[in-house]
Amino acid sequence: MTVSGRTYDLDSQNVQEALQGALPEPIHEHFVVINGRRWPPKQVLALVTGLDRADFTTHQARRALTRLGFPAGRLPSRSQRRAGRPSAAASRPAAAQSAGREQPLVEALRPLIGLWVAVRGDEVLVAAPSPREVVAWLARHRQRAQSMFRVPDSEEDVTGAAPQ
Amino acid sequence: MRFPFRALPAAGGGSLTPRPVVDIALEGLADAPMECLLDTGALRTRMSAELAPLAGIELTGSLTEEFFIGGLKTTGALARVNLTVTDDTDEFSWDAPVWFCEPWPHPFGLAGLEGFLHYFLVTIRAYDEYLDIEPRP
């Protein structure tokens, strides 16, 4: 594939390898999904190619990565997100909510079991092995989380039951 | 101030029953409020000791106590810290005792009587999966 006049031999495997140890930066609008996490397309292409981000556009990065088979998406605008925020005042039976309702945060957290996360609404801002890394990421990117916690990797983590 | 119960994925698939949680920010860690499970049976408010240095909270020389939680023996160190809850519209801060525990088995903190419940009127609407808190008059 050619990016910014240079040719690269890329496949999905070496893209995934290039992201090892990196944390996704904040998503402003466009993202690609790699290993169950959302990444800014320009960050990924810069990591993979070593190019400066000024050398290509978001759309070029997004197109290059979707050609390699990674799904891409776009965040709703801030106003759409505000309008779509679920109202806690809406009174519905709990059983119906848990059983039938879409749970976007649950699905976003599923690939992150065992990791520390910072979330805002249904959006995962960052996931990392320790709270120190989460806090450092928030500071570095001037982001404010609604909540920080570790995604439990067992029911006992939550219930506090003694090991069997 | 309203907090919807939070559902989390279960490791074996599906999701865990949504539980009553409150996101409490430690002074010095305002950008990363810690999810705390509301624990009406707990005397203390407890969090992982990992958080203390991130918030700049000094635990050297603090009062400590040993206890069992989740079948695990742990040590808590007491610090009096400023805590904040917010829902983006309202914000409330208070000064409270928090026990920072090492090791800490839970993926969240525990908000108990001292440190949290003594400061709020709390209404739990489990059927509707949310809780309301109002600062104590």
Side-chain angles (χ1 to χ4, degrees):
Chain A
M1 121 180 0
T2 303
V3 184
S4 192
R6 296 182 202 180
T7 304
Y8 297 88
D9 184 19
L10 296 179
D11 59 30
S12 59
Q13 185 66 35
N14 52 35
V15 170
Q16 291 175 63
E17 285 168 7
L19 301 183
Q20 296 285 330
L23 291 176
E25 293 174 3
I27 308 291
H28 299 296
E29 187 177 0
H30 293 278
F31 63 85
V32 289
V33 181
I34 302 174
N35 292 333
R37 298 173 78 168
R38 293 177 174 189
W39 295 79
K42 289 189 80 169
Q43 181 192 5
V44 174
L45 203 59
L47 282 168
V48 171
T49 61
L51 287 170
D52 191 289
R53 294 180 202 196
D55 292 341
F56 51 86
T57 66
T58 297
H59 289 283
Q60 286 170 319
R62 182 183 154 119
R63 195 161 52 244
L65 294 164
T66 53
R67 277 184 192 156
L68 294 176
F70 298 112
R74 187 175 190 168
L75 290 183
S77 67
R78 280 182 189 275
S79 57
Q80 286 173 316
R81 272 181 268 171
R82 272 196 297 273
R85 187 176 292 169
S87 163
S91 185
R92 288 192 290 171
Q97 286 195 34
S98 301
R101 183 169 54 116
E102 269 188 43
Q103 296 180 303
L105 182 60
V106 170
E107 294 315 314
L109 292 172
R110 197 175 298 287
L112 308 174
I113 283 174
L115 293 175
W116 281 82
V117 296
V119 304
R120 192 167 51 212
D122 288 332
E123 184 183 357
V124 179
L125 299 174
V126 61
S130 72
R132 177 177 298 279
E133 288 161 273
V134 170
V135 168
W137 187 95
L138 291 169
R140 192 162 60 245
H141 297 290
R142 298 182 182 189
Q143 297 283 311
R144 186 166 201 157
Q146 177 189 343
S147 185
M148 177 173 74
F149 53 90
R150 180 166 53 79
V151 185
D153 48 19
S154 71
E155 182 88 17
E156 288 74 24
D157 271 358
V158 178
T159 60
Q164 299 296 312
Chain B
M1 209 176 285
R2 181 161 293 179
F3 291 86
F5 285 14
R6 188 167 288 141
L8 295 170
S15 58
L16 301 172
T17 303
R19 286 169 163 79
V21 295
V22 180
D23 301 311
I24 301 177
L26 295 166
E27 184 180 11
L29 214 46
D31 290 341
M34 185 67 202
E35 179 184 88
C36 292
L37 187 71
L38 188 69
D39 190 347
T40 56
L43 179 60
R44 315 286 199 209
T45 290
R46 301 186 191 275
M47 297 186 187
S48 168
E50 272 182 289
L51 301 174
L54 301 180
I57 297 167
E58 179 58 63
L59 297 177
T60 308
S62 298
L63 179 66
T64 61
E65 67 176 14
E66 289 189 336
F67 62 99
F68 284 86
I69 188 162
L72 187 73
K73 188 178 184 182
T74 187
T75 303
L78 175 64
R80 211 166 167 94
V81 295
N82 190 263
L83 303 174
T84 301
V85 286
T86 181
D87 64 356
D88 285 343
T89 306
D90 295 323
E91 182 176 298
F92 181 69
S93 295
W94 70 106
D95 195 60
V98 176
W99 293 80
F100 293 93
C101 305
E102 171 64 40
W104 183 247
H106 293 304
F108 38 65
L110 292 178
L113 283 172
E114 295 174 6
F116 184 76
L117 290 163
H118 280 168
Y119 298 83
F120 294 94
L121 170 66
V122 179
T123 307
I124 303 173
R125 299 280 299 260
Y127 182 78
D128 297 315
E129 296 187 339
Y130 67 82
L131 63 95
D132 285 326
I133 65 172
E134 286 176 48
R136 193 178 61 168

